[in-house]
Amino acid sequence: MESDVSANSRLTIAAHALTWIGLYQRRGHEVATSEQIATSVNTNPVVIRRLLGELRKAGLADSRRGAGAGWILARDLAAITLLDIYQAIEPGPVFALHRATPNPECVVGHGIGPAMTAVYDGVEVALRGELAKTTLKDVLRDILQAA
Amino acid sequence: MESDVSANSRLTIAAHALTWIGLYQRRGHEVATSEQIATSVNTNPVVIRRLLGELRKAGLADSRRGAGAGWILARDLAAITLLDIYQAIEPGPVFALHRATPNPECVVGHGIGPAMTAVYDGVEVALRGELAKTTLKDVLRDILQAA
DNA sequence: TGTCATTGTAACGACTACTGTTACGACTGG
DNA sequence: CCAGTCGTAACAGTAGTCGTTACAATGACA
């Protein structure tokens, strides 16, 4: 169970699932089932299907239905960055402004929004730049090298 | 009310509170009450006291009790970066690994943890670097310039 | 010494997000 | 037709944040 302090593991799970599909395909298989992926991730198949559904909308994965169905990559592992996955599954920014509008008659309340927005934009750019550096091919390479 | 998709507004509120105290002190006042700060932030005084309590533990603010009590800065605005605040109030990293340990008998399940950790470490460094660029003096300057 | 404004903190309900699970309809290869 | 898998709804459990009420503790000041 736990160990974390409350952060998002969705990016980890999504990268795990796609990398698993990629390795499975590289070994000659056609499709991977959510059941198989869930066994590797150690979770429920529905969790995998939900997540891969979002990745399909983003054009990173695809699925077949009916008998002998399952999941395939929509792109090569080398053409999928962690940024692609992040954008597919993370709806909003890391930091947010106030929930309730601060007092506009106060100088600070009036100007803090734009000031923080500028900083947060820079943070997002830096974060995305870091995630864009790594492709799933890189991730798989690291995994196989460590084995 | 809202508008956000579920992100942390704690850094925004904390920066708002400290900046407000700094401007208030610059205008000649001794201490700022949580009531006054809450009016500018548009929230409840207890929310401010809770947050400033964490900032006090980190050595960024200080408080006086009793009658005529309130809050003061423990450092000059120029000596407080957004990274200082972030570290004082954000308990964990942005991204987390799996909640449940993935299947260690699977190559991917075994190696994905270290591989993603390396990436996440880079993300944290980039994020912290961005936040360290801005001091509350910068924030206040932007606020006053825009007014 | 007494008053009283303010902090410190516990407690609670409301809201949101993610996770795990069950259930079942939709689809399709054989 | 049938069996296997996806697609998705529904629900409970966990966790974090926020707003709110309540009240004890503190300490400046009259």
Side-chain angles (χ1 to χ4, degrees), chain A residues 95 111-123, chain B residues 11 15-16 18-19 60 75-87 126-143:
Chain A
F95 298 116
I112 188 89
M116 296 303 290
T117 295
V119 177
Y120 292 162
D121 285 349
V123 168
Chain B
L11 181 54
H16 186 154
L18 291 178
T19 303
L60 304 181
R75 296 188 208 162
D76 191 81
L77 283 181
I80 300 178
T81 70
L82 293 182
L83 175 59
D84 295 325
I85 304 176
Y86 173 75
Q87 295 189 138
L127 185 146
R128 287 162 186 269
E130 277 296 310
L131 292 179
K133 284 182 183 173
T134 306
T135 69
L136 289 185
K137 185 181 180 185
D138 299 327
V139 173
L140 181 56
R141 184 202 57 221
D142 291 354
I143 290 174

Side-chain angles (χ1 to χ4, degrees), chain B residues 5-6 33-34 49-50 56 63-67 70-71:
Chain B
V5 224
S6 95
T33 68
S34 60
R49 293 205 289 269
R50 275 197 294 233
R56 181 182 47 212
S63 64
R64 296 181 191 166
R65 307 187 64 172
W71 297 85

Side-chain angles (χ1 to χ4, degrees), chain A residues 9-142:
Chain A
S9 61
R10 307 186 82 222
L11 181 56
T12 301
I13 306 298
H16 186 155
L18 290 179
T19 303
W20 196 93
I21 299 173
L23 180 58
Y24 197 61
Q25 289 188 325
R26 177 184 289 190
R27 286 175 173 172
H29 301 87
E30 291 255 341
V31 300
T33 69
S34 60
E35 176 87 33
Q36 295 171 316
I37 301 168
T39 298
S40 173
V41 175
N42 189 16
T43 184
N44 192 287
V46 175
V47 174
I48 300 299
R49 291 205 290 270
R50 274 198 295 233
L51 210 41
L52 286 178
E54 298 183 55
L55 296 175
R56 181 182 47 211
K57 288 180 193 165
L60 303 181
D62 215 339
S63 63
R64 296 181 191 165
R65 307 188 65 172
W71 297 86
I72 58 177
L73 294 182
R75 296 188 209 162
D76 190 82
L77 283 180
I80 300 177
T81 70
L82 292 182
L83 176 59
D84 294 326
I85 305 176
Y86 174 75
Q87 294 188 139
I89 64 179
E90 297 289 345
V94 177
F95 298 116
L97 295 184
H98 311 63
R99 301 202 159 204
T101 306
N103 188 347
E105 298 178 14
C106 166
V107 185
V108 178
H110 181 265
I112 188 89
M116 296 303 290
T117 295
V119 177
Y120 292 162
D121 285 349
V123 168
E124 288 290 326
V125 168
L127 185 145
R128 288 163 186 268
E130 277 297 309
L131 293 179
K133 284 183 183 173
T134 306
T135 69
L136 290 185
K137 185 181 179 185
D138 299 328
V139 173
L140 181 55
R141 184 200 59 220
D142 290 354

Side-chain angles (χ1 to χ4, degrees), chain B residues 12-25:
Chain B
T12 301
I13 306 299
H16 186 154
L18 291 178
T19 303
W20 197 94
I21 298 173
L23 180 58
Y24 197 61
Q25 289 187 326

